[in-house]
């Protein structure tokens, strides 16, 4: 006998079409009143309940259960009669057995609505997607236990419109709770209503810092090392952009090369717009206008105004235009060598690189060769690395660079003292982060500020506004790694629900799905 049917006596099993019908009755002689808990054996009436039960061998199963309505013998009880329930099998008003309910709930937690409904139907438990979601919503929240190391970060419920805050127990790597918004108030209220953690791992957002100071003033705040390194990489990219002229190989510089460390002045329509917008924003800031006020006045996004206002010069706002890839890119070194040998016949060159795996047309090769016919001096040039490439070389561990990249980076650093200083600062910061030597942070900030490099000086100054948390992040072993992993899991759960991922449902699945 199946365990959940231990409280009933099966009278008959009938096959009805594609279904299996189990006719049964309750074994117990008496039952307890659900209102006053007094037992009763006085039967008032009998009737048959029809319940959908767990499938047998993939076949839909119906349970025809004969139950009794008892008279409550407690004259003071408000319930005059009541229907008996079988523990682990039935509940009031339910049309499914508890076993089937648990199975459908588990499917809803794992796969949500659409995919869960398809799987349930294939297993002989047909249920609509709405029903699966209702079962998930009806689940009680798990109890919240005291947390020693709390991780805090934001996530997008709907990117660009609506965000939430996720709280993680960094020791068990479990989600503790999810809050609406990413402001200070919800987190501060949560911390005030629960036992205060000893450590709070967070990113460098000012709202979470404010909430931690308000709701858990005695907790040690730890700035996440991943975000620190990410911010440093952005600063290095800005510095590299300002010294882009140093990235050209010596043989590629036409005419008199620009002095080391001196960047070429950007030109064009984009540069003129950046120059005018930068001057306008700084003029309004000087008049005492706030960022949001300027954004409403100009009809811009608040983040755009912030970028203009925080940039010391308009050149910092210029970004390198991404070059579109071409089928001929992998074969350019070979083509340049052959052109340098004097071969400018596009038909011959296409035939040669086709033998090496080129799958493009003759026109692509001809267009590439044509520029060397009009400017023969280009045949000896090498395309300079992009700003993004050089930033990656500087921020990457030297052991993870190839020999060619190491040589090119070293050549750039030899030509540009400013980028050499930036690379030294990055190596020093990486050493602090890797070996948890946060006591060196103050000296590093002084060195970076004295170097006065674009991007890096601003990054160093920004660290002073959150110095205690950054120092703790570079000293303690705690980090927001478990938080980032759970945010990836939240993204997966959100995408499973095809637009139904409201915060309440997303919270249920995140807290309960394993």
């Amino acid at each position: 006998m199946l365990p959940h049917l231990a409280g009933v006596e099966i009278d008959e099993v009938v096959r009805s079409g594609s279904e299996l019908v189990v006719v049964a009755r309750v074994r117990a002689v008496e039952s307890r009143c659900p209102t006053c808990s007094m037992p009763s054996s006085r039967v008032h009436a009998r009737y048959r309940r029809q319940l959908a039960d767990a499938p047998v061998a993939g076949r839909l199963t119906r349970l025809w259960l004969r139950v009794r309505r008892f008279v409550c013998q407690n004259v003071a009880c408000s319930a005059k009669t009541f229907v008996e329930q079988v523990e682990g099998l039935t509940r009031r008003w339910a049309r499914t057995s508890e076993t089937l309910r648990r199975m459908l709930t588990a499917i809803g937690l794992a796969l949500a609505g659409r995919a869960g409904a398809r799987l349930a139907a294939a297993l002989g438990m047909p249920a609509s997607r709405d029903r699966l979601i209702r079962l998930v919503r009806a689940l009680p929240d798990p109890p919240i236990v005291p947390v020693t190391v709390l991780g805090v970060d934001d996530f997008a419920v709907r990117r660009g419109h609506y965000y939430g805050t996720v709280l993680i127990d960094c020791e068990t790597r479990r989600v503790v709770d999810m809050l609406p918004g990413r402001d200070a108030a919800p987190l501060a209220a949560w911390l005030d209503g629960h036992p205060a953690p000893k450590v709070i791992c967070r990113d460098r957002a000012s709202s979470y810092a404010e909430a931690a100071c308000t709701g858990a003033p005695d907790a040690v705040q730890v700035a996440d090392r991943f975000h620190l390194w990410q911010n440093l990489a952005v600063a290095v990219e800005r510095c590299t952009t300002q010294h882009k002229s140093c990235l050209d190989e010596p043989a590629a510089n036409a005419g008199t090369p620009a002095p080391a460390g001196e960047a070429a002045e950007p030109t064009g329509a984009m540069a003129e717009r950046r120059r005018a917008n930068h001057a306008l924003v700084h003029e309004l800031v000087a008049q005492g206008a706030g960022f949001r006020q300027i954004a409403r006045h100009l009809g811009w996004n608040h983040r755009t105004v912030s970028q203009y206002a925080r940039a010391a010069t308009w050149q910092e706002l210029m970004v390198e235009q991404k070059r579109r890839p071409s089928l001929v890119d992998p074969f350019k070194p070979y083509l340049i060598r052959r052109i340098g040998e004097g071969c400018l016949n596009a038909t011959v060159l296409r035939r040669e690189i086709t033998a090496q795996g080129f799958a493009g047309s003759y026109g692509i090769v001809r267009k590439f060769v044509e520029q060397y016919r009009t400017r023969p001096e280009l045949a000896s040039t090498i395309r300079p690395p992009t700003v993004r490439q050089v930033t990656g070389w500087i921020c990457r561990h030297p052991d993870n660079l190839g020999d060619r990249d190491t040589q090119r980076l070293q050549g750039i650093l030899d030509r540009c003292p400013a980028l050499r200083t930036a690379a030294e600062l990055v190596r020093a910061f990486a050493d602090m982060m890797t070996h948890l030597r946060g006591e060196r942070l103050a000296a590093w900030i002084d060195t970076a500020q004295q170097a006065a490099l674009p991007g890096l000086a601003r990054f160093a100054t920004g660290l002073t506004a959150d110095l205690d948390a950054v120092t703790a992040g570079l000293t303690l072993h705690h980090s927001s790694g478990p938080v980032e992993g759970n945010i990836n899991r939240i993204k997966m759960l959100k995408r499973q629900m095809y637009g139904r991922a409201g915060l309440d449902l997303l919270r249920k699945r995140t807290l309960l799905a394993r």
Side-chain angles (χ1 to χ4, degrees):
M1 179 181 296
L2 298 176
H4 67 289
L5 297 179
V8 302
E9 183 174 337
I10 298 176
D11 294 334
E12 186 180 8
V13 178
V14 181
R15 181 177 177 180
S16 176
S18 61
E19 297 183 357
L20 197 65
V21 178
V22 178
V23 182
R25 50 192 170 86
V26 182
R27 289 178 179 270
V29 177
E30 61 180 14
S31 181
R32 291 185 176 273
C33 175
T35 304
C36 64
S37 300
M38 177 175 287
S40 175
S41 58
R42 182 182 171 186
V43 179
H44 177 269
R46 293 179 174 85
Y47 71 96
R48 188 176 68 184
R49 293 183 64 179
Q50 295 189 25
L51 304 172
D53 197 12
V56 176
R59 187 185 299 274
L60 182 65
T61 303
R62 300 283 181 186
L63 178 61
W64 290 2
L65 181 63
R66 189 172 182 80
V67 297
R68 294 161 292 183
R69 179 177 291 274
F70 289 92
V71 177
C72 182
Q73 297 181 350
N74 182 4
V75 294
C77 181
S78 60
K80 302 304 180 182
T81 63
F82 62 91
V83 177
E84 61 183 343
Q85 304 294 335
V86 181
E87 184 178 0
L89 178 63
T90 65
R91 68 168 61 186
R92 295 184 68 187
W93 317 115
R95 296 186 179 183
T96 60
S97 67
E98 289 298 287
T99 301
L100 179 59
R101 183 186 183 91
R102 287 193 297 268
M103 295 172 68
L104 292 176
T105 302
I107 292 176
L109 281 174
L111 298 175
R114 294 177 185 270
R118 290 195 294 268
L119 177 62
L123 295 177
M125 303 178 288
S128 68
R129 61 186 183 184
D130 294 315
R131 184 185 179 192
L132 294 178
I133 291 176
R134 286 197 300 269
L135 290 174
V136 173
R137 291 184 190 274
L139 291 173
D141 292 343
I144 298 178
V145 299
V147 179
T148 303
V149 182
L150 180 68
V152 182
D153 205 353
D154 65 323
F155 65 94
V157 179
R158 184 183 177 193
R159 182 172 294 279
H161 295 83
Y162 183 41
Y163 290 82
T165 297
V166 61
L167 309 180
I168 306 293
D169 186 341
C170 291
E171 294 182 324
T172 62
R173 299 177 178 269
R174 289 290 186 89
V175 177
V176 177
D177 207 345
M178 296 172 70
L179 309 176
R182 50 180 177 180
D183 300 324
L187 177 58
W190 190 94
L191 291 172
D192 188 59
H194 296 83
K198 295 182 179 179
V199 179
I200 297 179
C201 299
R202 58 171 178 80
D203 59 15
R204 299 180 62 202
S206 59
S207 58
Y208 292 150
E210 177 185 349
C213 292
T214 303
D218 297 329
V220 177
Q221 298 185 38
V222 178
D224 180 40
R225 290 186 286 273
F226 168 77
H227 290 94
L228 286 173
W229 190 257
Q230 191 177 50
N231 295 340
L232 178 62
V234 172
V236 173
E237 185 171 1
R238 289 176 179 170
C239 182
T240 307
T241 301
Q242 293 299 302
H243 299 86
K244 185 178 177 182
S245 62
C246 300
L247 308 187
D248 295 337
E249 299 290 342
N253 293 331
T256 304
E262 184 177 322
E265 185 78 4
T267 58
M270 177 66 73
E272 291 301 322
R273 286 197 299 271
R274 292 285 189 268
R275 187 202 307 270
N277 292 342
H278 182 268
L280 176 59
V281 170
H282 277 259
E283 180 181 354
L284 294 175
V285 170
Q287 295 174 4
F291 290 0
R292 295 190 182 277
Q293 182 181 359
I294 296 174
R296 288 194 298 268
H297 175 68
L298 299 177
W300 295 356
N301 185 275
H302 172 267
R303 183 175 298 178
T304 303
V305 175
S306 176
Q307 289 176 347
Y308 275 105
R310 298 182 187 280
T313 63
W314 65 270
Q315 289 88 344
E316 294 182 24
L317 301 167
M318 296 299 297
V319 295
E320 183 181 18
Q321 185 177 4
K322 185 176 180 181
R323 187 179 62 86
R324 297 179 63 181
S326 170
L327 292 175
V328 82
D329 286 347
F331 307 95
K332 282 184 178 179
Y334 176 81
L335 293 174
I336 292 174
R337 181 174 63 82
R338 292 286 287 122
I339 293 172
E341 296 172 355
C343 180
L344 293 172
N345 190 319
T347 303
V348 174
L349 293 176
R350 178 177 181 268
R351 186 185 306 119
E352 293 177 359
I353 62 176
T354 299
Q356 301 177 20
F358 176 70
S361 65
Y362 164 79
I364 299 177
V365 180
R366 185 185 62 184
K367 184 178 179 180
F368 179 78
V369 174
E370 190 65 30
Q371 59 183 329
Y372 294 96
R373 289 176 179 164
T374 57
R375 297 181 60 188
E377 70 276 6
L378 292 179
S380 60
T381 65
I382 301 175
R383 180 179 293 276
T386 64
V387 171
R388 184 64 61 87
Q389 282 180 313
V390 176
T391 301
W393 294 343
I394 294 176
C395 295
R396 204 175 305 162
H397 195 284
D399 294 343
N400 295 332
L401 287 177
D403 295 339
R404 175 60 176 165
D405 293 341
T406 301
Q407 294 174 2
R408 298 185 73 182
L409 175 61
Q410 188 58 47
I412 293 171
L413 300 184
D414 291 341
R415 295 192 299 273
C416 185
L419 290 182
R420 186 189 309 118
T421 302
E424 293 172 353
L425 288 171
V426 171
R427 297 286 180 264
F429 196 90
D431 182 72
M432 281 193 300
M433 181 178 295
T434 304
H435 300 96
L436 300 179
R437 295 169 178 167
E439 68 278 0
R440 302 181 182 179
L441 179 61
W444 187 91
I445 292 176
D446 292 339
T447 304
Q449 290 177 334
Q450 292 173 8
L453 296 174
L456 285 170
R458 177 180 164 188
F459 169 75
T461 302
L463 295 180
T464 59
D466 200 19
L467 186 60
D468 292 339
V470 175
T471 303
L474 298 177
T475 305
L476 304 178
H477 290 278
H478 304 296
S479 72
S480 297
V483 182
E484 298 298 333
N486 275 281
I487 287 179
N488 286 335
R489 176 169 164 263
I490 290 173
K491 292 178 182 178
M492 181 271 293
L493 295 176
K494 183 179 67 173
R495 289 165 183 154
Q496 279 186 341
M497 289 187 280
Y498 300 102
R500 288 181 174 234
L503 183 60
D504 59 336
L505 181 58
L506 184 61
R507 178 176 177 272
K508 286 287 187 182
R509 291 197 64 204
T510 304
L511 293 177
L512 299 172
R514 302 301 180 197

